[in-house]
Amino acid sequence: QVQLVESGGGLVQAGDSLRLSCAVSGRTFSIFKMGWFRQAPGKERAFVASITWNTINTISTSYTDSVKGRFTISRDNVQNTVSLQMNSLKPEDTAVYYCAARRATDYEYAFWGQGTQVTVSS
């Protein structure tokens, strides 16, 4: 019902910036919140950031503590994209990054992209 395709990953050096994008298609009107998650080697998938989707007057964002001040999540409801601007990247940010969508009726994120690899070298 909702399709997500990430892009923008790559290999960068510590301190560099990278911008991830997620193209959203399908029943976009049903989406309540969009999120970015990441999974590092040998670790479980973890929350990175989220943003409310179909809100007009207010936009609510949330970040995990380790990325606050470095990462910024944004949305474009015309282009149907959600982006993650990542600055001051650290080697510990290395992971596969996933875009996810949650509807108001979902208990958790129900739709996931295929993921994009981000590798930060020291």
Side-chain angles (χ1 to χ4, degrees), residues 11-30:
L11 172 63
V12 297
Q13 293 185 333
D16 285 351
S17 298
L18 205 58
R19 187 177 180 86
L20 305 182
S21 292
C22 176
V24 187
S25 61
R27 298 169 67 89
T28 59
F29 61 87
S30 68

Side-chain angles (χ1 to χ4, degrees), residues 1-5 22-28 31 53 79-80:
Q1 295 182 342
V2 175
Q3 293 79 43
L4 307 172
V5 179
C22 176
V24 187
S25 61
R27 298 169 67 89
T28 59
I31 299 172
W53 181 253
Q79 297 294 326
N80 281 336

Side-chain angles (χ1 to χ4, degrees), residues 36-61:
W36 283 97
F37 291 74
R38 65 187 180 186
Q39 186 167 17
K43 295 186 177 181
E44 295 187 352
R45 188 161 54 190
F47 169 78
V48 175
S50 68
I51 188 168
T52 49
W53 181 253
N54 281 317
T55 54
I56 298 176
N57 296 322
T58 60
I59 298 176
S60 177
T61 60

Side-chain angles (χ1 to χ4, degrees), residues 39-115:
Q39 186 167 17
K43 295 186 177 181
E44 295 187 352
R45 188 161 54 190
F47 169 78
V48 175
S50 68
I51 188 168
T52 49
W53 181 253
N54 281 317
T55 54
I56 298 176
N57 296 322
T58 60
I59 298 176
S60 177
T61 60
S62 180
Y63 299 90
T64 192
D65 285 346
S66 63
V67 307
K68 286 181 180 177
R70 299 189 298 124
F71 290 10
T72 302
I73 189 171
S74 61
R75 74 185 201 196
D76 185 331
N77 292 91
V78 175
Q79 297 294 326
N80 281 336
T81 58
V82 60
S83 298
L84 185 69
Q85 177 66 41
M86 305 185 294
N87 298 329
S88 301
L89 282 163
K90 304 176 181 180
E92 50 263 44
D93 294 318
T94 295
V96 177
Y97 283 71
Y98 296 91
C99 175
R102 176 183 171 188
R103 298 167 298 187
T105 54
D106 292 328
Y107 178 73
E108 55 189 11
Y109 288 86
F111 303 97
W112 295 84
Q114 82 287 351

